Amino acid sequence: MKVLKSITLIIFKILIVYLLVDTLAFNVQVDSWNSFDMERWLNQAIKSIYVYPQNSEKIFDIIKFLTTISIYFIVEMDSIINISNLTLGFKEVIKYHSVSKLDYIKKVIKILFSLNWCDLLYWGAVFLIPIYSFGKGVLDASSILSVLSFIIINYLFNNFIALLSKNPLICIILFIIKHLVYSLFIGYEYILIVLIIVIIVITFNIEGGEYI
């Protein structure tokens, strides 16, 4: 019964993702593209807060923004819940069983991966649906590389949120800000990775001998 409930929930979430992705594709005018471009889909649909009308400058569209934010929240609902739970005392337990700050980070990352691996299934739907719904592209090596790059950066960002969140409210705020940060760093994602690492290192040093 529990397995059936889990499968039903997964199917239901994928259907919601499908509806949101279809709406997002309409907002970014995928139908007008000569062929589906995964890099363009990532930059203009998933990362950016703007829309890019044909022969026009980018503009802010509230529907597009809310649709993309909704996709992030539906896809990463488990991550948000689990990271929020970690801030409610579970990180203290992890600290108690850690021998060093590095050991603490490893344990947090390992626990989150074991809890949130299903996010990959929903992100897969976000990338596969527009390709096969519009029949305008294939998932070639370049597309796969772009998707993997986004997933890795997103995974690092989620762990960054987990390590720095002090309570559920901060966790939710950081998940909302994440989309805005992606929009700001389009084309400069590796700089974003460096900044994430620097912030974590600085935070640990400010805390002195204590954990985050």
Side-chain angles (χ1 to χ4, degrees):
M1 189 66 181
K2 186 177 180 180
V3 174
L4 180 61
K5 183 179 179 180
S6 298
I7 294 175
T8 302
L9 180 60
I10 290 174
I11 294 174
F12 180 68
K13 288 181 69 174
I14 290 178
L15 287 175
I16 295 177
V17 169
Y18 176 84
L19 293 174
L20 290 170
V21 168
D22 192 56
T23 302
L24 184 60
F26 175 79
N27 285 128
V28 297
Q29 302 176 357
V30 171
D31 275 335
S32 67
W33 298 2
N34 294 325
S35 61
F36 185 83
D37 185 337
M38 181 59 69
E39 191 71 28
R40 188 175 179 181
W41 173 252
L42 277 167
N43 290 339
Q44 295 187 13
I46 304 302
K47 296 179 184 178
S48 180
I49 63 174
Y50 302 103
V51 293
Y52 297 77
Q54 294 293 327
N55 302 317
S56 177
E57 295 183 357
K58 63 183 182 181
I59 59 174
F60 178 77
D61 185 294
I62 187 64
I63 296 179
K64 190 268 182 185
F65 175 72
L66 293 177
T67 301
T68 310
I69 285 291
S70 297
I71 289 175
Y72 275 90
F73 268 82
I74 294 298
V75 169
E76 302 188 325
M77 186 181 296
D78 291 339
S79 292
I80 296 172
I81 293 173
N82 290 324
I83 292 174
S84 295
N85 287 336
L86 281 178
T87 67
L88 297 175
F90 288 98
K91 286 208 294 188
E92 296 301 321
V93 176
I94 299 174
K95 291 177 187 178
Y96 180 79
H97 292 282
S98 301
V99 297
S100 66
K101 294 177 180 178
L102 182 59
D103 185 44
Y104 168 68
I105 292 177
K106 288 180 179 179
K107 281 184 168 65
V108 171
I109 293 175
K110 184 178 180 180
I111 290 172
L112 288 177
F113 181 77
S114 66
L115 293 173
N116 304 329
W117 63 268
C118 204
D119 287 0
L120 297 175
L121 174 65
Y122 305 123
W123 275 121
V126 172
F127 299 123
L128 291 175
I129 288 171
I131 292 178
Y132 296 103
S133 288
F134 297 94
K136 287 190 171 186
V138 295
L139 198 60
D140 56 18
S142 177
S143 298
I144 293 174
L145 184 61
S146 297
V147 170
L148 288 177
S149 176
F150 172 79
I151 289 176
I152 290 172
I153 293 173
N154 191 64
Y155 176 71
L156 291 174
F157 206 122
N158 286 355
N159 282 287
F160 165 78
I161 292 174
L163 290 169
L164 266 66
S165 294
K166 299 291 187 180
N167 55 61
L169 178 59
I170 293 176
C171 171
I172 293 172
I173 291 174
L174 289 176
F175 265 95
I176 294 175
I177 291 176
K178 180 171 72 169
H179 177 41
L180 303 178
V181 172
Y182 284 161
S183 184
L184 181 63
F185 283 88
I186 291 177
Y188 302 94
E189 286 81 2
Y190 294 106
I191 295 178
L192 176 59
I193 293 176
V194 172
L195 286 176
I196 289 173
I197 295 173
V198 169
I199 291 173
I200 291 177
V201 170
I202 291 176
T203 302
F204 267 92
N205 288 333
I206 288 177
E207 293 287 340
E210 301 293 330
Y211 291 103
I212 288 179

